Amino acid sequence: MKTLRITFPYMGNYVHAFRGLLEDLGYEVVMPVKPSKRTLDLGVKYAPEFSCLPYKIVLGTYLETLPKGVDRIVTSGGVGPCRAGLYASLHEKILKKLGYQFEMIVLEPPLVDLKGFYKTVQHLNYKNYSLWYIYKTIKRNWRKIKALDTVEQKALFLRPRELTKGSVSARYKEVLQYIINAYSEKEIAEAEYEALKELEKVPVDLNRLVVKVGMVGEIYVLLEPSSNFEIEETIGHLGAEVKRSMFLTGWTRDNTMPGKSEDLLSVKDAAKPYLPELIGGHGQDSIGNAILYIKQGFDGLIQLAPFTCIPEIVARTILTRISQENNFPILTFFLDEQTGKAGMETRLEAFIDLLKRKKLHKLEKAEKGGKLNGTLSWN
Amino acid sequence: MELYLGIDVGSVSTNLVLIDEDNNVYESLYLRTKGQPIQVIKEGMQLLKEKYEDKVTIKGVGTTGSGRYLAGVIVGADIIKNEITAHAIATTTFVPEVQTIIEIGGQDSKIIIIRDGVVTDFAMNTVCAAGTGSFLDQQASRLNIPIEKFGDLALKSTVSVRIAGRCTVFAESDMIHKQQLGYKIEDIINGLCEALVRNYLNNVGKNKEILPPIVFQGGVAANRGIREAFARALGQDIIVPKHFNVMGAIGAAILAREATNGQKTNFKGFMVADFNYETRSFECNHCPNHCEIAEISEEGKVIGRWGGRCPRWEVI
């Protein structure tokens, strides 16, 4: 049987795990390239004007990859009123109209239609591997995703504490390769260990007083740095620790603030008093996570949303209330191809300044002239 | 005498101030940027040089505004800060009890909420409410009224004329329409002031708790018509500080004092006014992002680069 060539949308580091999974299923993977200005330009050219940024970037990614020869595209579907659920079909129509021949395979969330999900997986499994083999493959690559997440979170923690600006990012880029190159679960675990160990060697000041910023919003603009001007790196370099609400491995508990951990509510429960309904996309998650961050003593919150994204617009209006009721600073960015980096950086810097001054003020008040434990860096 | 220099390079104006340890403003220059920030920074430095070169020691320099990085590398700044922080720092210094700052400049307008002397919230214009200062400038010149007198004219108005304020493009065509219908110019200008205030409060000030004392600053604060319109719309007195149009620069100078904290300054000296600066830009073709990199050289030596999405060009 001919080996099929497959591709998928680019999303953060996870592409490396997707690649492993599909290669194990017997595909020749055509790796999507990391989205760039060219990717976005292509997407904007062929996408409907008012579709969202993730839609445009993903379309651009396909347009960059398809000329290399692709038999299948595998992507995710969606539930609820968010239009992302329709995007795969719309992408397919636009691409086919442009003359590309391929098959679009959409993985809908398994809980919605278990039978349908199984059928899709079996279809993807065109070489008829056993279920046991597929299970092992998924398990192995899930382990890889977990390792990627762990190492990324370490970098987010270390970046605002680094002594030389940029040193964490540089080292992170290198150690990520350990995990990308690992295959078996044992190798992945070892790579993760080594990567963390190496990252910890970067000189940092752990006593530095760092403000903590939660980040919520739509999944793609949260997870794909090229869609948000590498916002996490920027925030880290401004001297703030970012805690992203969304990782593919699920919600992680905050272990960095001992004494504050109460039994955490689920994101859904936390959102309930404000938004009891699922409104599609990640609107409810944005609300729920905001509440959880407040409970965990974070200093502020950033919401990232694609321009015209209805779930996030709904969340935005509720976040205004949450911000006022809890005296909790929240900054929202609506992103699209018109977004300028300069304006975003100015607002981010001002926001982090605000959080730092506020925290210092609070600490000074609490210690009433006592010496502060650690200092906030201004730059 | 030992002083601190603050420079605010904005879209319409470039301001330089000198302050002492106790925040007394020794000098303040308000210059037009005219799209040539480097030229105007040199011009400002030249003016300061002539007056102060042998008389003062500069102990720290701070820059702010949209041209802050450019100004920063030219003069050798100790701190380069965004305009929101700079404005908040300056205002709380002069009006310690301030709770709301309305700041309208040439391109940007912002609101800064302060409680107990600390910034608790801010907003900057997003999709619209931009360019208020520039728009007023343009309308003044179209109507052939000096910008200094433009706002005063609004105070003579007796009738309220409603001008569409959603967008300055609509505002202009609405103004022209009302002129063609024979409305009095002072009523139209008053209507325009009210429209701009409405636009600001609905876009920038939306959802913000605007509590007194309210301080209004930035170039547009010179406009009495806008000042009065704000007072009417908010039902509050509006405080315009003495140095309302150079507050950003003052904030930068104060931040420079904090940043140097007795240490040696990076300030290159007033002679930067005599240096030659050249700029060039190019497209980096290393990856498909094709970043546009801008580069500035001083006397043939590269001193700064901007525009990359990666650190490739940052190291000089």
Side-chain angles (χ1 to χ4, degrees):
Chain A
M1 190 192 303
K2 178 193 168 231
T3 297
L4 292 179
R5 290 165 64 86
I6 196 164
T7 190
F8 46 85
Y10 197 97
M11 193 160 86
N13 290 328
Y14 302 121
V15 289
H16 304 295
F18 300 157
R19 172 190 206 151
L21 185 69
L22 290 164
E23 276 176 354
D24 285 343
L25 285 178
Y27 287 97
E28 184 185 339
V29 172
V30 185
M31 273 297 263
V33 282
K34 196 169 166 43
S36 63
K37 184 167 162 268
R38 186 182 120 92
T39 317
L40 182 58
D41 286 347
L42 274 170
V44 167
K45 188 171 173 189
Y46 294 103
E49 188 189 348
F50 287 105
S51 55
C52 65
L53 187 66
Y55 181 90
K56 289 170 184 169
I57 294 179
V58 172
L59 181 65
T61 310
Y62 293 152
L63 284 163
E64 277 187 316
T65 324
L66 286 177
K68 295 177 185 166
V70 166
D71 302 302
R72 284 178 166 184
I73 294 176
V74 59
T75 182
S76 65
V79 283
C82 169
R83 53 191 169 164
L86 305 170
Y87 277 3
S89 329
L90 201 50
H91 278 146
E92 185 180 357
K93 281 214 160 76
I94 292 171
L95 293 168
K96 292 222 161 126
K97 219 172 168 180
L98 289 171
Y100 293 106
Q101 301 289 320
F102 63 94
E103 184 189 357
M104 183 73 108
I105 298 174
V106 186
L107 278 168
E108 298 290 349
L111 292 177
V112 176
D113 172 16
L114 201 59
K115 225 171 117 187
F117 181 74
Y118 177 75
K119 266 172 82 178
T120 315
V121 172
Q122 274 308 333
H123 183 64
L124 264 178
N125 178 19
Y126 76 115
K127 292 208 166 161
N128 276 320
Y129 290 112
S130 72
L131 275 179
W132 175 244
Y133 174 86
I134 291 178
Y135 167 76
K136 293 292 280 182
T137 297
I138 291 177
K139 192 160 166 271
R140 189 168 55 243
N141 285 291
W142 186 249
R143 182 68 188 84
K144 196 173 225 178
I145 290 179
K146 260 169 93 173
L148 290 166
D149 278 353
T150 312
V151 175
E152 189 175 1
Q153 286 175 64
K154 189 82 189 176
L156 290 177
F157 172 82
L158 292 174
R159 202 173 277 131
R161 295 170 171 89
E162 67 192 0
L163 295 184
T164 319
K165 189 176 156 183
S167 53
V168 169
S169 294
R171 201 78 193 98
Y172 170 65
K173 227 172 141 183
E174 289 167 24
V175 300
L176 208 56
Q177 288 303 322
Y178 302 174
I179 297 167
I180 292 169
N181 296 333
Y183 181 77
S184 70
E185 275 189 75
K186 188 165 165 279
E187 281 169 17
I188 294 167
E190 282 167 8
E192 181 187 70
Y193 178 78
E194 282 301 317
L196 291 174
K197 216 172 80 185
E198 283 301 308
L199 263 184
E200 275 165 6
K201 282 187 190 157
V202 179
V204 289
D205 174 7
L206 289 176
N207 286 324
R208 193 182 281 170
L209 211 53
V210 161
V211 290
K212 290 187 78 176
V213 184
M215 198 141 78
V216 298
E218 188 274 334
I219 189 166
Y220 191 87
V221 292
L222 273 188
L223 296 186
E224 179 41 52
S226 66
S227 71
N228 60 34
F229 295 102
E230 289 84 20
I231 190 171
E232 290 179 344
E233 219 177 315
T234 310
I235 296 173
H237 289 154
L238 285 169
E241 184 183 338
V242 191
K243 200 86 184 172
R244 195 204 299 154
S245 64
M246 215 164 307
F247 284 93
L248 280 193
T249 43
W251 326 117
T252 43
R253 273 184 63 167
D254 181 35
N255 297 315
T256 49
M257 297 191 87
K260 285 236 170 167
S261 67
E262 49 180 295
D263 269 326
L264 291 185
L265 299 158
S266 78
V267 178
K268 234 181 183 162
D269 286 338
K272 244 175 202 156
Y274 295 93
L275 184 61
E277 299 293 324
L278 183 74
I279 53 166
H282 300 90
Q284 206 185 22
D285 297 315
S286 293
I287 302 292
N289 280 306
I291 300 291
L292 293 181
Y293 286 135
I294 291 171
K295 284 190 194 288
Q296 290 169 55
F298 276 61
D299 298 294
L301 181 84
I302 290 173
Q303 181 197 18
L304 287 183
F307 186 57
T308 74
C309 170
I310 296 291
E312 292 302 327
I313 290 170
V314 174
R316 166 79 181 94
T317 55
I318 299 171
L319 284 177
T320 306
R321 199 179 119 208
I322 293 174
S323 165
Q324 280 166 355
E325 284 176 2
N326 297 281
N327 186 21
F328 185 66
I330 299 179
L331 181 67
T332 298
F333 288 109
F334 280 103
L335 303 160
D336 74 353
E337 70 271 15
Q338 314 279 357
T339 306
K341 194 182 180 185
M344 191 167 170
E345 279 179 345
T346 299
R347 287 161 178 80
L348 266 183
E349 191 192 294
F351 188 69
I352 305 293
D353 275 357
L354 172 170
L355 301 184
K356 282 182 180 170
R357 290 251 164 185
K358 213 176 152 193
K359 190 163 193 167
L360 262 186
H361 189 70
K362 221 162 84 187
L363 289 172
E364 275 168 2
K365 249 185 167 172
E367 305 211 356
K368 276 267 156 52
K371 206 176 166 285
L372 285 174
N373 196 10
T375 45
L376 282 174
S377 80
W378 264 106
N379 285 304
Chain B
M1 194 185 303
E2 294 178 331
L3 298 175
Y4 296 88
L5 170 63
I7 305 175
D8 179 354
V9 182
S11 55
V12 171
S13 71
T14 292
N15 315 313
L16 294 91
V17 300
L18 291 173
I19 62 163
D20 67 9
E21 291 284 345
D22 303 315
N23 304 320
N24 298 309
V25 179
Y26 260 80
E27 178 67 73
S28 88
L29 298 177
Y30 183 92
L31 310 167
R32 291 258 159 182
T33 307
K34 289 180 202 146
Q36 302 195 354
I38 298 175
Q39 223 29 59
V40 77
I41 292 166
K42 281 179 70 175
E43 190 188 320
M45 292 304 286
Q46 183 63 36
L47 288 169
L48 292 180
K49 184 183 171 190
E50 285 162 12
K51 233 167 139 182
Y52 296 99
E53 197 179 22
D54 308 316
K55 296 180 196 128
V56 305
T57 315
I58 300 297
K59 288 189 71 190
V61 186
T63 61
T64 187
S66 47
R68 59 188 179 278
Y69 296 110
L70 191 65
V73 297
I74 289 179
V75 300
D78 299 298
I79 189 161
I80 298 175
K81 247 318 152 198
N82 68 82
E83 42 274 39
I84 296 166
T85 305
H87 273 284
I89 295 281
T91 317
T92 48
T93 304
F94 292 110
V95 191
E97 65 280 12
V98 62
Q99 295 214 81
T100 309
I101 302 172
I102 293 170
E103 205 276 336
I104 305 183
Q107 286 296 315
D108 278 329
S109 39
K110 38 194 158 314
I111 188 165
I112 306 171
I113 305 296
I114 295 178
R115 299 290 179 261
D116 296 328
V118 185
V119 178
T120 57
D121 201 4
F122 69 86
M124 220 166 158
N125 54 275
T126 49
V127 264
C128 207
T132 302
S134 303
F135 180 65
L136 287 172
D137 241 16
Q138 190 193 330
Q139 293 313 313
S141 82
R142 187 173 67 81
L143 298 171
N144 216 357
I145 302 167
I147 184 76
E148 298 80 22
K149 293 196 178 137
F150 196 71
D152 294 354
L153 217 50
L155 303 182
K156 290 189 188 139
S157 161
T158 48
V159 192
S160 174
V161 176
R162 196 174 170 92
I163 305 282
R166 167 66 64 196
C167 164
T168 50
V169 176
F170 296 144
E172 178 158 21
S173 57
D174 207 25
M175 273 176 77
I176 292 171
H177 176 64
K178 298 244 151 83
Q179 282 153 19
Q180 315 291 41
L181 292 179
Y183 285 80
K184 276 198 203 142
I185 196 79
E186 55 259 37
D187 293 337
I188 291 173
I189 291 175
N190 186 42
L192 177 65
C193 291
E194 284 177 350
L196 292 177
V197 165
R198 213 161 49 232
N199 178 287
Y200 173 91
L201 293 174
N202 288 335
N203 286 293
V204 185
K206 197 180 190 116
N207 295 323
K208 301 282 180 262
E209 196 185 26
I210 301 177
L211 296 179
I214 302 166
V215 171
F216 179 22
Q217 59 199 39
V220 174
N223 187 310
R224 283 177 64 196
I226 302 258
R227 248 145 66 186
E228 297 291 323
F230 264 120
R232 281 196 302 274
L234 295 169
Q236 294 287 349
D237 285 336
I238 304 291
I239 303 166
V240 177
K242 187 177 168 207
H243 302 288
F244 68 91
N245 57 357
V246 293
M247 293 295 266
I250 294 174
I254 296 173
L255 283 163
R257 192 182 57 220
E258 277 185 20
T260 48
N261 196 19
Q263 286 164 333
K264 203 180 168 300
T265 175
N266 296 328
F267 182 51
K268 292 182 188 167
F270 290 115
M271 71 273 212
V272 295
D274 304 322
F275 286 164
N276 247 324
Y277 294 93
E278 266 168 45
T279 52
R280 70 173 189 126
S281 68
F282 57 93
E283 199 174 71
C284 169
N285 289 319
H286 192 74
C287 86
N289 274 322
H290 293 279
C291 298
E292 270 173 44
I293 309 293
E295 184 180 272
I296 174 166
S297 320
E298 175 187 281
E299 301 285 312
K301 187 174 161 276
V302 177
I303 55 169
R305 286 198 198 95
W306 299 276
R309 286 184 75 151
C310 77
R312 163 167 293 261
W313 295 100
E314 271 172 24
V315 183
I316 292 154

